[in-house]
Amino acid sequence: MLCRQLMDLPGPRWKRGKDGKDFAALAAANPMSMIVAELQASLRDSKPVAILSGDGKDAVLAVGAHQAALLNRAAFGRAVQNSGDEKQWFHLGPEEMFFLCHALRCITVEAENKKQMGEGELWDLLTSTSEPFPEMYKAYEHLRLKNWVVRSGLQYGADFVAYRHHPALVHSEFAVIVVPEGKMFGARCGRMKVWPDLLCALRASGSVAKTLLFLTISTQNCELRSSDCLEQLIVHERMINRWIPQQWREQQDKPRREEANRDEQRQKQCREKAIREEQEDTRVGLLFSYWGVVLGFTVLSSLLVYKLKL
């Protein structure tokens, strides 16, 4: 296996637009950071409320048409079909809901009984309904703050998948596995420590043309009982690829092949130059021979005329 840093990124696989649209140029003209900043400002002005579901694992958010368009562009949540025209509803997962509430501070959250929940109460509820929520949210927040679009990776056998921009424009590049480290995470620290699990994850990500990205969440002295622990959680990024001997040999041999091709090209150019020079010399020799014959014939003709006159 080969481990690399997240900054050493492969090229994105942009989708093909109709009528020859250049999605790469469209994404460059509309960076995700600007879209999220516009969404944050708009939601802060309208102060929307997300209503928790009965089990407390997710929520629905009612917004106007403009905020709905921004939520779609920023790839937060999923639109819910409804018959109303004034408001549009979005279904938010637990990480998305807490990110909008905690990191962007642009929505408020209410329980079904319309009781407004503070950040501490919401944290207690989410961690009680999902034990791995702290490390999952930290991984989600880590990628989102780097302007990656993060979606569920369940269908790919991963925790998340990460997109360079909106999923309508580009294919996801990473299948993300979140690996906790430290005694505070309890039994969850044994994840991905045996070779079969790692190989299965590598095979699954490779079969769908994605790079396997491990986000290791570590801490030394941190209580997970409040959202204050998020400042002390450390995220380590590791990209893992399968090491294929044949491909490695080809990569090693590529510089040698390129050098050999360059040498062959230089030799070909030298041969062509020598042939051109030889042809040029031949043409010059023929030219001199021609003028020599003409000059000799002229001299001979002059002598004959002179003798006849005598």
Side-chain angles (χ1 to χ4, degrees), residues 48-278:
V49 177
I51 302 174
L52 284 170
S53 62
D55 56 7
K57 292 183 178 179
D58 45 25
V60 288
L61 178 67
V63 294
H66 179 62
Q67 286 84 11
L70 289 173
L71 283 167
N72 275 321
R73 290 176 61 199
F76 279 106
R78 299 187 185 278
V80 179
Q81 297 294 330
N82 61 80
S83 57
D85 295 330
E86 294 183 359
K87 288 187 177 181
Q88 298 186 36
W89 296 84
F90 274 76
H91 177 270
L92 301 174
E95 290 84 12
E96 294 172 320
M97 171 180 55
F98 198 76
F99 183 80
L100 293 173
C101 177
H102 167 76
L104 299 186
R105 299 188 181 279
C106 57
I107 67 170
T108 56
V109 180
E110 289 183 355
E112 285 189 317
N113 58 6
K114 295 188 178 181
K115 176 186 175 183
Q116 185 170 340
M117 302 191 70
E119 186 177 305
E121 292 178 298
L122 185 59
W123 176 267
D124 293 339
L125 177 63
L126 294 174
T127 53
S128 64
T129 55
S130 175
E131 186 181 11
F133 177 77
E135 61 264 35
M136 292 297 174
Y137 173 75
K138 182 63 179 180
Y140 178 91
E141 182 186 62
H142 176 79
L143 292 173
R144 263 295 183 176
L145 291 178
K146 289 191 171 187
N147 298 312
W148 288 87
V149 171
V150 186
R151 292 293 199 183
S152 171
L154 183 61
Q155 62 180 331
Y156 301 110
D159 296 315
F160 301 110
V161 286
Y163 298 80
R164 190 177 292 260
H165 207 274
H166 195 282
L169 304 182
V170 66
H171 294 280
S172 57
E173 293 183 39
F174 296 101
V176 183
I177 301 289
V178 183
V179 182
E181 285 186 352
K183 62 181 181 180
M184 297 298 178
F185 296 108
R188 303 194 297 280
C189 294
R191 193 179 189 198
M192 289 289 167
K193 283 195 173 181
V194 294
W195 281 108
D197 291 346
L198 181 57
L199 292 175
C200 287
L202 275 170
R203 289 282 187 177
S205 60
S207 64
V208 290
K210 304 186 191 317
T211 301
L212 184 62
L213 174 63
F214 272 22
L215 293 184
T216 305
I217 316 297
S218 64
T219 181
Q220 294 180 350
N221 299 313
C222 175
E223 291 291 338
L224 303 178
R225 296 175 183 174
S226 73
S227 58
D228 295 337
C229 71
L230 294 171
E231 298 295 329
Q232 302 178 45
L233 296 181
I234 302 171
V235 181
H236 303 279
E237 304 166 349
R238 294 182 179 88
M239 287 197 301
I240 303 180
N241 292 335
R242 289 178 60 209
W243 181 68
I244 303 176
Q246 181 180 358
Q247 292 182 357
W248 180 255
R249 286 197 300 270
E250 291 176 354
Q251 291 174 1
Q252 293 291 96
D253 292 340
K254 185 178 179 180
R256 301 193 188 103
R257 290 198 301 270
E258 291 177 349
E259 183 64 29
N261 291 335
R262 286 194 293 268
D263 290 341
E264 184 178 352
Q265 188 67 25
R266 285 195 293 267
Q267 292 175 5
K268 182 178 179 181
Q269 292 173 354
C270 290
R271 288 196 299 269
E272 291 176 351
K273 182 178 179 181
I275 291 173
R276 286 195 301 269
E277 290 176 351
E278 184 178 352

Side-chain angles (χ1 to χ4, degrees), residues 10-79:
R13 296 182 298 124
W14 297 101
K15 294 182 179 180
R16 296 182 178 179
K18 295 181 180 179
D19 303 325
K21 288 184 178 179
D22 187 355
F23 283 168
L26 179 62
N30 299 274
M32 187 55 62
S33 58
M34 292 181 59
I35 298 173
V36 173
E38 186 179 354
L39 170 66
Q40 182 183 21
S42 180
L43 291 179
R44 280 181 174 176
D45 291 339
S46 60
K47 299 179 180 179
V49 177
I51 302 174
L52 284 170
S53 62
D55 56 7
K57 292 183 178 179
D58 45 25
V60 288
L61 178 67
V63 294
H66 179 62
Q67 286 84 11
L70 289 173
L71 283 167
N72 275 321
R73 290 176 61 199
F76 279 106
R78 299 187 185 278

